[in-house]
Every structure is written in C-alpha cells, then in structure tokens.
Amino acid sequence: VETLEQAEHAVQDLRDCVWAAFDVETYGLMHDEDFHLLSLAISGSGTDDSYVWDGDALQDLDVAGPLFELLEDPDYPIVGQNVKFDIAAVHCATGVEVRNVYGDTRLWRRLLDSNAIARLDVMAELVGMGGHKSEAGIFVSKAVRALRTADKKAGREPHNNYKAFAYAAIPRDILLRYNARDAISTVKIAELLEDRLRQNDCLSNIWEVLVRAFDR
C-alpha cells in the first residue's frame, strides 16, 4: 500500500470482513529511541489477501491514516499471534491504540491444548503454510551472526536480542512478502482454532470471561 487511494481500498475490503488479523515487523528494542516499524501486514477473515504498509508508508499520515482508523475502531475485531507484542509495538512506534482484540492464535492454541507448540511457524503447518518463514529466515540468521561477530571483534558484551535488529537486513520485497504470509497464516490458523473453540462451551467461556475481559 503506497497511496491514499490504495489505503482506502484496502480498508474498505477489510471492513467487509468479520474481523482481520495483523502482524508487524520491527527494528530495535521497544521504547528505545531508534525503535520503529519496518512493515505492517493485515488480512481479513475469509480471504487469502494481505495488505502491507512498509515503514515509509506507516510514517505518511495520509497513507497510514485509514489503517490507523481501522485499528483504533472499537467496533472492528482484531486478531493476532501473540498480539500483545504487535499492539505494544504499534502504540510505541505510532501512538495508535488497537481497541478491539477479538482473538490471539497463540493463546487459543494453548487454551485448546496446553501442551501444544504455539509458535506461528509450527501452527502454520496446520493450514498448509508450513515453511513460509524460511526465505526471510536465511537473512535473519546471517544478520544475527554478523551482529554477534561485530560485537565480539569490538570487545563488547554479547547482546541478548540480536534478532530484534536483524529484520532490517531482509531485502524489502522479501520482508513484505514474509510479513504478508505471517498475516495470512494467522488468519487461517485463527479460523481453524476459532471453530474448535466454539465447539467447546467451557473453553469459550474461559476466553470470553477471563482473557477478553482482562484485555478490556
């Protein structure tokens, strides 16, 4: 998404969906001065589409405005994978507050099966999107090694989170594709888990009463 017209079209498509899932890629440690969003992807339920704003578009209030209005709409449900991170990242980088958290695929997975692995790359296999992180993962691994080596050569103490800085090393086209696939896989996983959750009244009540009430 690079223009206001594209942004308005994207948001209109998303508003036609029951809910949407979003995912962000970031640079730096949250609350540090250099922390910023590299990109944000969002996909609507029931679709295979994803709309992606890169870092420049997210800093352009004309292009990002419709997206921010959607995220702040208290009547529009939002889903994410470990969504608290994405919510905090968006707020920290832009001041925008996501106001209607409908679901979290990571929490839904653990609620349905406390012993299950709830990482996105693992759950993506449940919906036919296994391995979607491998393309970008090559660049992330190389960047982490390079950062660690640079610190070692400079005699600096090893950092405890090189990965927080590594995504900036991913070429733009690969980063945006990676981000889009994260959002799409989150939608598909959420649809699968939401259906399973609805079939269990007890777990549905736990989510509604305890988890969503806490978020509100």
Side-chain angles (χ1 to χ4, degrees):
V1 177
E2 298 178 324
T3 68
L4 173 59
E5 182 179 10
Q6 291 173 342
E8 290 176 337
H9 172 74
V11 169
Q12 183 56 57
D13 276 357
L14 292 164
R15 286 194 178 277
D16 288 339
C17 301
V18 177
W19 50 262
F22 85 110
D23 180 84
V24 300
E25 306 304 336
T26 64
Y27 174 87
L29 300 175
M30 219 174 291
H31 304 297
D32 282 0
E33 289 184 3
D34 60 351
F35 178 80
H36 61 274
L37 301 181
L38 297 170
S39 63
L40 185 155
I42 184 165
S43 301
S45 59
T47 75
D48 293 318
D49 299 323
S50 185
Y51 296 98
V52 189
W53 280 252
D54 69 9
D56 290 338
L58 290 169
Q59 293 182 45
D60 185 328
L61 291 181
D62 286 335
V63 180
L67 169 66
F68 292 163
E69 289 178 8
L70 182 73
L71 293 176
E72 290 194 311
D73 186 344
D75 296 319
Y76 189 78
I78 296 292
V79 173
Q81 162 74 10
N82 190 26
V83 72
K84 284 188 179 294
F85 172 85
D86 299 87
I87 290 171
V90 168
H91 185 259
C92 184
T94 69
V96 170
E97 295 186 19
V98 178
R99 299 186 183 276
N100 186 358
V101 177
Y102 175 67
D104 184 318
T105 50
R106 184 167 180 259
L107 294 180
W108 280 354
R109 177 67 162 160
R110 296 303 296 272
L111 188 59
L112 288 162
D113 182 353
S114 60
N115 294 316
I117 298 173
R119 297 199 316 268
L120 185 62
D121 60 327
V122 174
M123 291 193 293
E125 297 178 3
L126 301 174
V127 293
M129 292 190 67
H132 79 275
K133 290 178 173 287
S134 59
E135 181 182 33
I138 294 171
F139 294 94
V140 172
S141 296
K142 287 182 178 179
V144 168
R145 289 196 297 270
L147 291 168
R148 185 179 290 114
T149 299
D151 276 350
K152 185 177 181 179
K153 287 182 177 180
R156 293 188 292 263
E157 288 293 321
H159 201 280
N160 62 2
N161 193 2
Y162 289 111
K163 197 173 181 181
F165 302 88
Y167 285 83
I170 304 174
R172 180 180 181 276
D173 60 331
I174 295 176
L175 175 71
L176 300 187
R177 183 161 57 244
Y178 170 83
N179 197 183
R181 287 171 174 170
D182 271 1
I184 293 170
S185 61
T186 299
V187 164
K188 292 182 178 297
I189 293 164
E191 290 172 338
L192 174 67
L193 299 182
E194 180 188 32
D195 183 60
R196 292 179 180 177
L197 201 59
R198 284 177 175 174
Q199 296 175 33
N200 189 314
D201 290 339
C202 179
L203 294 181
S204 293
N205 288 336
I206 290 174
W207 173 259
E208 291 295 330
V209 175
L210 297 181
V211 181
R212 294 201 66 204
F214 177 77
D215 282 334
R216 285 193 287 266

